PDB file of all heavy atoms in Angstrom:
ATOM      1  N   ALA A 283     -20.899  23.513 -20.154  1.00  0.00           N
ATOM      2  CA  ALA A 283     -19.514  23.325 -19.739  1.00  0.00           C
ATOM      3  C   ALA A 283     -18.641  24.490 -20.203  1.00  0.00           C
ATOM      4  O   ALA A 283     -17.767  24.971 -19.466  1.00  0.00           O
ATOM      5  CB  ALA A 283     -18.982  22.013 -20.298  1.00  0.00           C
ATOM      6  N   THR A 284     -18.879  24.953 -21.428  1.00  0.00           N
ATOM      7  CA  THR A 284     -18.127  26.100 -21.946  1.00  0.00           C
ATOM      8  C   THR A 284     -18.419  27.353 -21.134  1.00  0.00           C
ATOM      9  O   THR A 284     -17.506  28.143 -20.832  1.00  0.00           O
ATOM     10  CB  THR A 284     -18.481  26.346 -23.424  1.00  0.00           C
ATOM     11  OG1 THR A 284     -18.259  25.152 -24.160  1.00  0.00           O
ATOM     12  CG2 THR A 284     -17.623  27.458 -24.005  1.00  0.00           C
ATOM     13  N   MET A 285     -19.686  27.535 -20.762  1.00  0.00           N
ATOM     14  CA  MET A 285     -20.046  28.671 -19.925  1.00  0.00           C
ATOM     15  C   MET A 285     -19.340  28.594 -18.573  1.00  0.00           C
ATOM     16  O   MET A 285     -18.873  29.606 -18.027  1.00  0.00           O
ATOM     17  CB  MET A 285     -21.560  28.721 -19.731  1.00  0.00           C
ATOM     18  CG  MET A 285     -22.048  29.858 -18.840  1.00  0.00           C
ATOM     19  SD  MET A 285     -21.785  31.508 -19.562  1.00  0.00           S
ATOM     20  CE  MET A 285     -23.220  31.625 -20.647  1.00  0.00           C
ATOM     21  N   THR A 286     -19.234  27.395 -18.035  1.00  0.00           N
ATOM     22  CA  THR A 286     -18.533  27.199 -16.757  1.00  0.00           C
ATOM     23  C   THR A 286     -17.075  27.638 -16.867  1.00  0.00           C
ATOM     24  O   THR A 286     -16.558  28.360 -16.015  1.00  0.00           O
ATOM     25  CB  THR A 286     -18.609  25.724 -16.333  1.00  0.00           C
ATOM     26  OG1 THR A 286     -19.976  25.334 -16.182  1.00  0.00           O
ATOM     27  CG2 THR A 286     -17.876  25.507 -15.019  1.00  0.00           C
ATOM     28  N   ALA A 287     -16.417  27.170 -17.921  1.00  0.00           N
ATOM     29  CA  ALA A 287     -15.014  27.541 -18.127  1.00  0.00           C
ATOM     30  C   ALA A 287     -14.868  29.048 -18.321  1.00  0.00           C
ATOM     31  O   ALA A 287     -13.936  29.676 -17.791  1.00  0.00           O
ATOM     32  CB  ALA A 287     -14.455  26.793 -19.329  1.00  0.00           C
ATOM     33  N   PHE A 288     -15.789  29.629 -19.071  1.00  0.00           N
ATOM     34  CA  PHE A 288     -15.767  31.072 -19.324  1.00  0.00           C
ATOM     35  C   PHE A 288     -15.877  31.862 -18.014  1.00  0.00           C
ATOM     36  O   PHE A 288     -15.119  32.810 -17.776  1.00  0.00           O
ATOM     37  CB  PHE A 288     -16.920  31.421 -20.265  1.00  0.00           C
ATOM     38  CG  PHE A 288     -17.177  32.895 -20.422  1.00  0.00           C
ATOM     39  CD1 PHE A 288     -16.261  33.712 -21.060  1.00  0.00           C
ATOM     40  CD2 PHE A 288     -18.340  33.473 -19.930  1.00  0.00           C
ATOM     41  CE1 PHE A 288     -16.500  35.075 -21.213  1.00  0.00           C
ATOM     42  CE2 PHE A 288     -18.593  34.813 -20.073  1.00  0.00           C
ATOM     43  CZ  PHE A 288     -17.669  35.629 -20.717  1.00  0.00           C
ATOM     44  N   LEU A 289     -16.804  31.465 -17.148  1.00  0.00           N
ATOM     45  CA  LEU A 289     -16.986  32.166 -15.873  1.00  0.00           C
ATOM     46  C   LEU A 289     -15.746  32.035 -14.989  1.00  0.00           C
ATOM     47  O   LEU A 289     -15.324  33.012 -14.348  1.00  0.00           O
ATOM     48  CB  LEU A 289     -18.203  31.608 -15.133  1.00  0.00           C
ATOM     49  CG  LEU A 289     -19.574  31.847 -15.784  1.00  0.00           C
ATOM     50  CD1 LEU A 289     -20.664  31.190 -14.950  1.00  0.00           C
ATOM     51  CD2 LEU A 289     -19.850  33.337 -15.948  1.00  0.00           C
ATOM     52  N   LEU A 290     -15.166  30.848 -14.949  1.00  0.00           N
ATOM     53  CA  LEU A 290     -13.993  30.640 -14.094  1.00  0.00           C
ATOM     54  C   LEU A 290     -12.785  31.432 -14.601  1.00  0.00           C
ATOM     55  O   LEU A 290     -11.933  31.853 -13.816  1.00  0.00           O
ATOM     56  CB  LEU A 290     -13.653  29.155 -14.026  1.00  0.00           C
ATOM     57  CG  LEU A 290     -14.650  28.291 -13.246  1.00  0.00           C
ATOM     58  CD1 LEU A 290     -14.265  26.815 -13.347  1.00  0.00           C
ATOM     59  CD2 LEU A 290     -14.699  28.721 -11.785  1.00  0.00           C
ATOM     60  N   ARG A 291     -12.720  31.631 -15.911  1.00  0.00           N
ATOM     61  CA  ARG A 291     -11.603  32.381 -16.485  1.00  0.00           C
ATOM     62  C   ARG A 291     -11.734  33.894 -16.259  1.00  0.00           C
ATOM     63  O   ARG A 291     -10.818  34.649 -16.608  1.00  0.00           O
ATOM     64  CB  ARG A 291     -11.499  32.094 -17.982  1.00  0.00           C
ATOM     65  CG  ARG A 291     -10.952  30.717 -18.299  1.00  0.00           C
ATOM     66  CD  ARG A 291      -9.554  30.542 -17.778  1.00  0.00           C
ATOM     67  NE  ARG A 291      -8.958  29.279 -18.182  1.00  0.00           N
ATOM     68  CZ  ARG A 291      -7.758  28.867 -17.809  1.00  0.00           C
ATOM     69  NH1 ARG A 291      -7.033  29.622 -17.011  1.00  0.00           N
ATOM     70  NH2 ARG A 291      -7.286  27.692 -18.213  1.00  0.00           N
ATOM     71  N   MET A 292     -12.838  34.335 -15.688  1.00  0.00           N
ATOM     72  CA  MET A 292     -12.994  35.758 -15.400  1.00  0.00           C
ATOM     73  C   MET A 292     -12.222  36.172 -14.149  1.00  0.00           C
ATOM     74  O   MET A 292     -12.174  37.360 -13.816  1.00  0.00           O
ATOM     75  CB  MET A 292     -14.477  36.108 -15.206  1.00  0.00           C
ATOM     76  CG  MET A 292     -15.309  36.020 -16.459  1.00  0.00           C
ATOM     77  SD  MET A 292     -16.907  36.861 -16.300  1.00  0.00           S
ATOM     78  CE  MET A 292     -17.575  36.084 -14.831  1.00  0.00           C
ATOM     79  N   THR A 293     -11.607  35.213 -13.464  1.00  0.00           N
ATOM     80  CA  THR A 293     -10.834  35.543 -12.266  1.00  0.00           C
ATOM     81  C   THR A 293      -9.358  35.245 -12.486  1.00  0.00           C
ATOM     82  O   THR A 293      -8.989  34.483 -13.391  1.00  0.00           O
ATOM     83  CB  THR A 293     -11.341  34.744 -11.052  1.00  0.00           C
ATOM     84  OG1 THR A 293     -11.117  33.337 -11.275  1.00  0.00           O
ATOM     85  CG2 THR A 293     -12.817  35.002 -10.801  1.00  0.00           C
ATOM     86  N   GLU A 294      -8.547  35.819 -11.641  1.00  0.00           N
ATOM     87  CA  GLU A 294      -7.109  35.600 -11.679  1.00  0.00           C
ATOM     88  C   GLU A 294      -6.591  35.567 -10.245  1.00  0.00           C
ATOM     89  O   GLU A 294      -7.286  36.016  -9.313  1.00  0.00           O
ATOM     90  CB  GLU A 294      -6.426  36.734 -12.456  1.00  0.00           C
ATOM     91  CG  GLU A 294      -6.625  38.100 -11.845  1.00  0.00           C
ATOM     92  CD  GLU A 294      -6.042  39.208 -12.695  1.00  0.00           C
ATOM     93  OE1 GLU A 294      -5.533  38.914 -13.787  1.00  0.00           O
ATOM     94  OE2 GLU A 294      -6.083  40.380 -12.249  1.00  0.00           O
ATOM     95  N   PRO A 295      -5.387  35.026 -10.020  1.00  0.00           N
ATOM     96  CA  PRO A 295      -4.856  34.982  -8.652  1.00  0.00           C
ATOM     97  C   PRO A 295      -4.767  36.375  -8.042  1.00  0.00           C
ATOM     98  O   PRO A 295      -4.410  37.352  -8.721  1.00  0.00           O
ATOM     99  CB  PRO A 295      -3.469  34.367  -8.836  1.00  0.00           C
ATOM    100  CG  PRO A 295      -3.560  33.591 -10.114  1.00  0.00           C
ATOM    101  CD  PRO A 295      -4.494  34.363 -10.992  1.00  0.00           C
ATOM    102  N   ALA A 296      -5.131  36.475  -6.789  1.00  0.00           N
ATOM    103  CA  ALA A 296      -5.062  37.762  -6.098  1.00  0.00           C
ATOM    104  C   ALA A 296      -3.606  38.186  -5.953  1.00  0.00           C
ATOM    105  O   ALA A 296      -2.710  37.347  -5.859  1.00  0.00           O
ATOM    106  CB  ALA A 296      -5.715  37.648  -4.733  1.00  0.00           C
TER     107      ALA A 296
END
Side-chain angles (χ1 to χ4, degrees):
T284 305
M285 179 67 82
T286 300
F288 170 68
L289 294 178
L290 290 175
R291 286 298 186 183
M292 291 196 306
T293 64
E294 61 185 3

